[in-house]
């Protein structure tokens, strides 16, 4: 009797666990369903990328001899849900069992557990650290800190190691990676991939089926096959990696991608593996073509942060997405959905998100994330936004970054202090402030940068929680030394700004 082998849209890896476990005669099930496209309003480019990559992958499987039962979104018989499609296909082929690779989304894991056709869920072994291994590492530790986890992963993988010592004598070269950037017409641009006939068909489908989702579907330039993903990696390694470290934290209005890799969607869909990406980067450094701060900084993002947040997501379980340690209640302001704003930094970060379904890490963390945290937005709303609007967003990676790193809603599981800053940080790292309605140097008054006002408002609102945090105590001492009249003006300015935000005014 055949079994069904479920391959989800972010499991497009030929040796993904479920495919490895398949026997001759088993039927691969792949399904495009409205339920997955709409449980949050995903960006049209994200939906198009996943559907086109699925269609290409299914063809590759067929060419390799697999029998694939593929449900297209527009098929009349499509039940438009993953479980519904498993039930339908099981009846069609006479299967009584499903083999799946565990999804990176608790909602789907629970749905598969409740599926009337019994599902065997195999661990997703496309990570360098398994869920069980991370659990064992975390066991008994008072605090989970990425830096220590990262060192373990360096030892385990042998990446950038000289014997049992880190290459270059240090684990981390981050102090070299905090430079601003200058506009440069000759900075290499990430490659764009012209849509083929399959992608064109998908783009038209997405335009027709998801017309109200935030974001432009065209121009669409994402790669949709492993070949494209490898070309994107190669382009990054040859052209942008040398300056990746130096420009990692910088932001420029006219250059939304700088020296970033734009490979997260390919990694997260399974078109690239974390180890091959790191090996390529290490090889560039060993060949003397890139500086150590660039190679180490990049590898830390992959075997450090990426694996660490995945471990946290697995460890913390389904309740994690509902955490709200700071009790924030505000609805997500309309500026996140493209409403007019006078804040240049927010306008740029949201604008490029709408156009490209992409923003780099510092834009996500220190502009849109920082603003939501300072303004006290409900972290569940913030999580839903990030999960919707980015082409690389899947719960296992998005939620710990948003709920944990960016919003401190987990109370300090991911980070030891909240990532908050005044406008000075954005001014130092970007060229946004020069064209802004607000004045970044003004600390109070009508034209004062909202980040300057809200920064203190946030710290004072949460004084009890953070005053004794050794990494934040200095800020409270600075506040206490300020003149009383100035402090009142700052807090009143922040209150006024929040009232206008709440009233839906263009801030
Ligand atoms: C609020 C918030 C939400 C985020 N949501 C996502 C998400 O849904 N999906 C996602 O893949 N990343 C997410 N990130 C992490 C990071 O912003 C993206 O991985 C990165 O911007 C992807 O672009 P890139 O490929 O050009 O990355 P680069 O800057 O070139 O970095 C290289 C790679 O490192 C990995 N990486 C870097 N930082 C992280 C991180 N903090 N966590 C996990 N991997 C990391 C990514 O795979 C990335 O491709 C989020 C960060 C924040 C602050
Ligand atoms: S002045 Fe403030 S609001 Fe304007 S761009 Fe700078 S940081 Fe953003």
């Amino acid at each position: 009797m055949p079994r069904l082998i479920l391959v989800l849209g972010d499991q497009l890896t030929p040796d993904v666990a479920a495919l490895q476990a398949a026997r001759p005669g088993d039927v691969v099930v792949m399904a495009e369903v409205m339920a997955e496209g709409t449980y949050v309003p995903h960006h049209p480019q994200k939906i198009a990328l996943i559907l086109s990559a699925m269609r290409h992958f299914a063809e590759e499987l067929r060419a390799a001899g697999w029998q694939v039962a593929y449900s297209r979104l527009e098929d009349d018989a499509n039940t438009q849900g993953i479980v519904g499609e498993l039930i339908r296909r099981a009846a069609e082929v006479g299967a009584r069992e499903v083999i799946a690779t565990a999804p990176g989304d608790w909602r789907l894991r629970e749905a598969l557990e409740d599926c009337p056709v019994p599902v065997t869920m195999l661990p997703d072994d496309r990570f360098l650290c398994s869920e069980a291994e991370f659990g064992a590492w975390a066991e008994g530790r008072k605090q989970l800190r990425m830096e220590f986890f990262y060192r373990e992963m360096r030892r385990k993988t042998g990446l950038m190691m000289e014997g049992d010592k880190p290459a270059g004598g240090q684990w981390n070269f981050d102090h070299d990676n905090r430079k601003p950037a200058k506009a440069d017409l000759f900075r290499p641009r990430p490659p764009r991939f012209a849509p083929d006939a399959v992608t064109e068909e998908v783009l038209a489908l997405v335009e027709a089926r998801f017309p109200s989702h935030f974001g432009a579907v065209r121009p669409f330039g994402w790669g949709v096959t492993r070949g494209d993903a490898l070309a994107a990696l190669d382009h990054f390694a040859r052209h942008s990696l040398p300056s990746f470290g130096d420009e990692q934290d910088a932001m420029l209005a006219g250059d939304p991608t700088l020296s970033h890799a734009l490979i997260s969607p390919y990694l997260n869909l399974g078109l690239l593996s974390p180890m091959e990406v790191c090996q390529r980067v290490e090889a560039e450094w060993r060949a003397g073509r890139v500086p150590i701060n660039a190679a180490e900084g990049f590898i830390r993002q992959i075997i450090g942060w990426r694996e660490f947040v995945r471990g946290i997501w697995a460890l913390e379980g389904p309740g994690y997405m509902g955490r709200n340690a700071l009790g924030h209640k505000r609805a997500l302001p309309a500026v996140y959905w493209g409403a007019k704003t006078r804040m240049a930094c927010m306008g740029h970060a949201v604008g490029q998100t709408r156009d490209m379904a992409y923003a780099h890490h510092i834009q996500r963390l220190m502009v849109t994330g920082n603003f939501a945290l300072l303004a006290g937005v409900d972290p569940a709303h913030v999580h839903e936004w990030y999960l919707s609007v980015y082409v690389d967003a899947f719960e296992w990676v998005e939620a710990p970054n948003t709920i944990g790193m960016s919003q401190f809603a987990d109370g300090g599981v991911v980070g030891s202090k909240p990532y908050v800053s005044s406008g000075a940080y954005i001014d130092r790292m970007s060229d946004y402030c020069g064209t802004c309605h607000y004045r970044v140097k003004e600390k109070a008054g009508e034209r004062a940068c909202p980040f300057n006002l809200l920064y203190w408002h946030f710290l004072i609102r949460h004084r009890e929680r953070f005053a004794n945090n050794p990494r934040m105590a200095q800020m409270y001492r600075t506040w206490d030394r300020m003149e009383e009249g100035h402090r009142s003006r700052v807090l009143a300015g922040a209150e006024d700004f929040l009232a206008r935000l709440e009233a839906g005014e263009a801030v």
Side-chain angles (χ1 to χ4, degrees):
M1 185 172 292
R3 301 172 310 168
L4 300 183
I5 307 296
L6 177 64
V7 175
L8 295 168
D10 60 351
Q11 299 177 344
L12 308 181
T13 316
D15 61 354
V16 74
L19 286 172
Q20 274 188 54
R23 297 191 297 243
D26 288 348
V27 177
V28 175
V29 172
M30 295 181 71
E32 305 172 356
V33 293
M34 282 305 278
E36 292 308 307
T38 53
Y39 70 92
V40 294
H42 300 289
H43 194 293
Q45 286 188 37
K46 177 183 179 186
I47 303 177
L49 167 62
I50 297 173
L51 298 191
S52 180
M54 284 173 71
R55 290 182 182 194
H56 283 92
F57 187 72
E59 281 318 306
E60 285 164 22
L61 288 181
R62 284 194 181 111
W66 293 90
Q67 192 187 335
V68 183
Y70 192 96
S71 312
R72 290 164 68 108
L73 200 68
E74 66 274 32
D75 289 348
D76 286 341
N78 191 331
T79 59
Q80 303 298 352
I82 295 290
V83 169
E85 285 307 276
L86 287 173
I87 296 170
R88 182 166 80 90
R89 297 299 189 186
E92 239 171 51
V93 304
R96 295 220 194 110
E97 196 189 342
V98 178
I99 309 295
T101 308
D105 180 317
W106 287 108
R107 177 189 55 87
L108 261 184
R109 279 197 189 182
E110 285 163 6
L112 292 183
E113 271 160 17
D114 295 342
C115 178
V117 190
V119 179
T120 303
M121 257 188 277
L122 304 171
D124 187 346
D125 58 10
R126 295 173 301 164
F127 292 89
L128 299 167
C129 180
S130 71
E131 293 179 23
E133 210 180 335
F134 189 86
W137 174 80
E139 182 86 41
R141 284 174 198 262
K142 266 207 201 118
Q143 278 194 327
L144 305 181
R145 288 296 158 253
M146 195 289 291
E147 190 60 34
F148 298 116
F149 170 78
Y150 167 57
R151 292 177 192 179
E152 293 289 314
M153 297 303 287
R154 287 275 293 278
R155 290 192 189 97
K156 178 181 169 180
T157 58
L159 286 163
M160 292 191 77
M161 295 294 289
E162 309 289 0
D164 59 355
K165 299 266 180 324
Q170 279 167 233
W171 292 105
N172 182 319
F173 289 82
D174 220 13
H175 56 80
D176 296 337
N177 290 356
R178 295 191 179 124
K179 301 186 182 115
K182 284 205 183 73
D184 177 358
L185 279 179
F186 300 105
R187 187 180 283 111
R189 298 272 176 250
R192 295 183 62 79
F193 299 88
D196 64 5
V198 174
T199 302
E200 279 297 350
E201 197 183 0
V202 165
L203 294 177
L205 180 69
V206 171
E207 272 167 337
R209 299 283 168 126
F210 307 94
S212 61
H213 288 202
F214 172 75
V217 70
R218 294 172 202 268
F220 181 92
W222 296 102
V224 292
T225 63
R226 172 155 168 84
D228 294 346
L230 283 169
L233 171 63
D234 183 60
H235 186 280
F236 167 69
R238 285 192 292 121
H239 301 294
S240 301
L241 178 61
S243 46
F244 172 81
D246 289 353
E247 297 187 342
Q248 201 180 346
D249 288 4
M251 298 174 279
L252 288 180
D255 191 339
T257 55
L258 284 153
S259 293
H260 290 274
L262 279 82
I263 58 163
S264 48
Y266 311 131
L267 279 163
N268 297 352
L269 292 186
L271 298 174
L272 292 177
S273 84
M275 197 61 187
E276 73 181 329
V277 164
C278 291
Q279 281 167 341
R280 174 68 200 270
V281 167
E282 177 175 14
E284 291 295 316
W285 167 69
R286 290 208 182 269
R289 288 191 288 266
V290 307
I292 195 163
N293 66 312
E296 185 282 318
F298 183 88
I299 286 175
R300 177 157 28 89
Q301 305 310 313
I302 306 276
I303 67 170
W305 278 114
R306 188 172 185 271
E307 296 286 330
F308 181 73
V309 297
R310 196 272 185 149
I312 298 272
W313 170 83
L315 195 67
E316 295 291 320
Y320 189 75
M321 274 56 70
R323 300 269 182 90
N324 190 356
L326 301 181
H328 284 169
K329 298 262 176 348
R330 192 178 306 282
L332 191 74
V335 54
Y336 285 84
W337 299 114
K340 211 165 171 280
T341 176
R342 294 188 288 187
M343 288 184 282
C345 54
M346 286 292 285
H348 282 295
V350 173
Q352 78 173 68
T353 300
R354 178 196 57 223
D355 296 343
M356 307 169 63
Y358 176 83
H360 70 67
H361 188 67
I362 293 301
Q363 294 170 312
R364 298 187 205 195
L365 187 63
M366 299 311 292
V367 179
T368 45
N370 188 17
F371 185 70
L373 178 57
L374 294 180
V377 178
D378 185 334
H381 294 203
V382 187
H383 158 58
E384 187 176 314
W385 185 77
Y386 280 100
L387 187 58
S388 305
V389 300
Y390 290 113
V391 68
D392 56 19
F394 297 89
E395 187 186 271
W396 65 267
V397 54
E398 176 278 328
N401 270 299
T402 304
I403 298 284
M405 188 191 300
S406 159
Q407 300 300 298
F408 203 77
D410 63 6
V413 178
V414 170
S416 56
K417 85 182 232 317
Y419 278 95
V420 283
S421 81
S422 67
Y425 176 85
I426 296 174
D427 191 31
R428 190 166 63 249
M429 298 311 300
S430 80
D431 63 356
Y432 295 148
C433 300
T435 57
C436 188
H437 162 85
Y438 297 103
R439 293 176 183 144
V440 74
K441 302 270 186 269
E442 289 187 16
K443 312 281 185 234
E446 237 173 65
R447 298 286 284 272
C449 165
F451 284 89
N452 293 346
L453 303 172
L454 296 177
Y455 176 70
W456 291 115
H457 195 266
F458 171 88
L459 287 181
I460 299 314
R461 267 189 347 252
H462 296 296
R463 183 165 195 149
E464 217 172 294
R465 176 183 281 268
F466 295 126
N468 294 326
N469 183 322
R471 297 179 65 199
M472 297 176 76
Q474 175 58 36
M475 297 318 299
Y476 286 99
R477 283 197 288 276
T478 304
W479 173 256
D480 290 340
R481 278 200 300 270
M482 285 179 199
E483 192 245 320
E484 175 60 36
H486 176 71
R487 288 191 303 207
S488 308
R489 286 206 308 139
V490 170
L491 294 183
E495 289 289 343
D496 178 59
F497 179 86
L498 289 172
R500 287 187 290 120
L501 190 69
E502 194 71 26
E505 281 180 33
V507 286

